[in-house]
Amino acid sequence: MNALTVAKFGGTSVADYAAMSKCASVIKGNESTRLVVISACSGVTNLLVELANGVSSLEKQKALLTRLQEIHFSILASLPENEAVNTAVNDILDTVATFAAAAAKAPSDKITDSLVACGELMSTHIFTHLLNQQGLDAVRFDVRDALKTDDVHGKASPDLIETAYQAQTLLRPLCEEKVVVTQGFIGSDNKGNTTTLGRGGSDYSAALLAEAVQATTLEIWTDVPGIYSTDPRIAPAAAPIDEISFSEASEMANFGAKILHPSTLVPAMRQEIPVFVGSSKAPEKGGTWIRRDAEHSPLFRALALRCNQTMVTLTSLNMFHAYGFLAEVFNILAKHKVSVDLITTSEVSVSLTLDQTNTSGGAPKLPEAAELELSKLCKVTVEQDMCLVALIGNEMGESRGAAAQIFGALGEYNLRMICYGASNHNLCFLTNTAESKDVVRTLHKELFEK
Ligand code: ASP
Ligand code: MG
């Protein structure tokens, strides 16, 4: 087998029978598609997270379970010969009920992972059956046998060597025979416990699997026809991008263009696997190719917005002309597993924002223990209700007049934590949430609509 495409379909792509059928057409349209990675049906992971957080009211628990049942059985109702799948889905729903009861007593990250994994476990049963009904020779594969991770529940990291080994031994040979359908988002640690890669992690799973089976192309099918110069819901004049480089696209993914999970491109870049992003609902609209090098490298490529930012400012006179202060700060953050995103510094203070990718979502929190320890060293101020605007492009740091054009257009706004120059591919800053969309619109107009 030479060409091997891994195709990933997100939650909205497998939301219902009609959406799933569109995915089946996409798969049928490309003979090289042998590995299909899918998310839970739209909305399912949210319901499961709610149960995992612990629902004490039995009535509420039951209502959530009923909702889950409805979503899956409304798809199954359209599929003939569904007895075996019905049973499989019912069994998983029983598991959900058991874990939900356990979580109501004492929620834990471990229970959460086992519970939220059920979404993908159900959707893959249904989708495999649908493909078989539509004439494809498809088989379901439990990804926990191949995608091996550490045991950090809620945001596990892949064990690349073990995953490559299992994928080569178990998965690749299966792909030679059939279309293999497997779960995104989930994996298992070396004890066999279920883990997850963080919310939206199916893209990352697909990329990791593409790397592990040595695929030639990775397709990410979602509900938008590719990557745009910014979110068209914010700026309707946003334009689609045909081709973009790995470096630019990873900056975009990282800075909140919600199209791709931020880690997705890492495995693709390691193996130089071209990535296509398109809409399973309208494949004819085309999409965006992400490759090592794009043919065109414009100064300004796109604008991304990421809200729910937590900004931490640390101030201390001890920082003044001292050495080792920042090392100490970062040691404390590392000890408490706090991942830092942006940083700006002055002589006596440093501001940083926190990364957010854990399963429970929301604005990231500075752990209390970390705050306490930092407070012994310096004054700690935590601010929320802020959004990060990222401008992605090429050679921005080396271009005369770029800064004037960008900041000139934003004269009336209050911008904070401006980070410019570390990467030639991005410039970012924070704004308050209320103004953030206006800031994006204004900047998009200035840089992309003239
Ligand atoms: N189902 C998971 C989520 O909703 C993973 C994914 O869709 O990528 O976060
Ligand atoms: Mg998703």
Side-chain angles (χ1 to χ4, degrees):
M1 185 167 46
N2 297 319
L4 196 169
T5 298
V6 173
K8 179 259 170 177
F9 296 91
T12 50
S13 296
V14 294
D16 50 36
Y17 177 74
M20 280 192 178
S21 300
K22 293 255 183 193
C23 301
S25 312
V26 169
I27 295 168
K28 280 189 198 165
N30 180 354
E31 258 185 26
S32 75
T33 304
R34 309 296 293 178
L35 181 57
V36 176
V37 179
I38 70 169
S39 291
C41 304
S42 184
V44 166
T45 310
N46 288 347
L47 294 168
L48 293 169
V49 167
E50 204 175 331
L51 286 168
N53 289 342
V55 175
S56 49
S57 145
L58 281 179
E59 211 173 315
K60 181 84 196 289
Q61 253 185 51
K62 222 170 144 208
L64 292 167
L65 284 163
T66 307
R67 186 69 204 107
L68 287 167
Q69 204 169 16
E70 283 165 4
I71 293 172
H72 297 97
F73 280 92
S74 74
I75 307 176
L76 282 167
S78 305
L79 286 169
E81 297 168 52
N82 60 13
E83 298 74 19
V85 187
N86 279 354
T87 310
V89 171
N90 266 326
D91 287 349
I92 297 171
L93 285 169
D94 287 345
T95 310
V96 170
T98 310
F99 280 126
K105 286 202 190 94
S108 75
D109 291 343
K110 196 169 163 189
I111 296 180
T112 299
D113 271 355
S114 296
L115 220 167
V116 297
C118 291
E120 273 72 8
L121 292 173
M122 288 189 278
S123 65
T124 42
H125 268 297
I126 299 172
F127 191 63
T128 310
H129 185 56
L130 181 135
L131 289 184
N132 280 313
Q133 285 294 321
Q134 302 206 353
L136 278 167
D137 190 9
V139 64
R140 177 178 180 272
F141 178 85
D142 191 323
V143 83
R144 292 172 294 184
D145 293 335
L147 212 155
K148 295 294 173 181
T149 70
D150 63 13
D151 60 1
V152 180
H153 288 286
K155 194 178 188 297
S157 298
D159 177 338
L160 298 179
I161 294 172
E162 193 55 27
T163 301
Y165 176 74
Q166 299 299 346
Q168 286 297 330
T169 332
L170 303 173
L171 202 47
R172 175 101 198 189
L174 205 54
C175 294
E176 318 255 349
E177 287 166 29
K178 289 167 187 279
V179 173
V180 182
V181 177
T182 198
Q183 302 82 23
F185 182 49
I186 71 178
S188 73
D189 67 11
N190 63 9
K191 294 196 192 80
N193 293 315
T194 300
T195 54
T196 61
L197 303 177
R199 287 308 301 271
S202 293
D203 296 342
Y204 187 31
S205 301
L208 288 166
L209 293 171
E211 177 183 39
V213 297
Q214 297 179 329
T216 45
T217 309
L218 169 62
E219 295 175 349
I220 303 284
W221 294 97
T222 165
D223 52 3
V224 286
I227 302 176
Y228 277 61
S229 55
T230 197
D231 186 339
R233 285 167 302 189
I234 298 175
I241 299 170
D242 295 335
E243 198 194 29
I244 183 170
S245 69
F246 277 139
S247 336
E248 294 169 282
S250 46
E251 296 284 355
M252 281 186 77
N254 190 33
F255 288 114
K258 287 187 203 68
I259 300 171
L260 288 179
H261 182 277
S263 307
T264 310
L265 293 173
V266 177
M269 284 163 91
R270 274 195 299 252
Q271 286 295 315
E272 290 193 12
I273 305 170
V275 181
F276 175 81
V277 183
S279 162
S280 62
K281 296 191 171 149
E284 70 285 351
K285 285 195 180 154
T288 304
W289 277 101
I290 311 170
R291 304 180 203 273
R292 196 188 63 187
D293 304 302
E295 209 176 310
H296 302 288
S297 305
L299 178 60
F300 303 123
R301 177 74 86 178
L303 268 172
L305 177 67
R306 183 170 75 188
C307 287
N308 275 327
Q309 297 298 292
T310 302
M311 169 174 163
V312 179
T313 303
L314 308 169
T315 312
S316 166
L317 283 176
N318 295 339
M319 222 184 282
F320 193 69
H321 285 186
Y323 52 83
F325 183 85
L326 286 180
E328 241 177 296
V329 164
F330 282 93
N331 271 334
I332 296 172
L333 294 171
K335 188 170 115 192
H336 295 280
K337 296 206 160 96
V338 177
S339 164
V340 171
D341 195 17
L342 303 187
I343 312 173
T344 55
T345 57
S346 81
E347 195 48 51
V348 292
S349 64
V350 47
S351 289
L352 38 95
T353 62
L354 308 182
D355 257 340
Q356 62 184 155
T357 32
N358 56 353
T359 296
S360 42
K365 287 197 184 69
L366 180 65
E368 243 170 74
E371 185 167 349
L372 207 71
E373 218 171 308
L374 287 168
S375 303
K376 291 182 190 145
L377 207 63
C378 51
K379 182 169 158 252
V380 183
T381 319
V382 180
E383 292 171 76
Q384 285 181 327
D385 197 24
M386 273 185 294
C387 297
L388 184 158
V389 178
L391 172 62
I392 288 93
N394 294 283
E395 312 293 331
M396 283 193 291
E398 284 157 20
S399 145
R400 272 174 212 279
Q405 193 183 356
I406 297 160
F407 296 114
L410 298 175
E412 61 173 288
Y413 298 100
N414 173 222
L415 312 180
R416 303 183 65 186
M417 272 196 81
I418 298 169
C419 299
Y420 185 27
S423 157
N424 251 333
H425 289 296
N426 100 63
L427 176 164
C428 33
F429 52 81
L430 300 180
T431 69
N432 66 51
T433 306
E435 282 181 341
S436 61
K437 289 185 180 166
D438 282 335
V439 167
V440 170
R441 268 190 287 270
T442 306
L443 203 50
H444 192 270
K445 205 171 211 152
E446 170 67 27
L447 306 181
F448 298 93
E449 296 173 40
K450 279 192 169 161

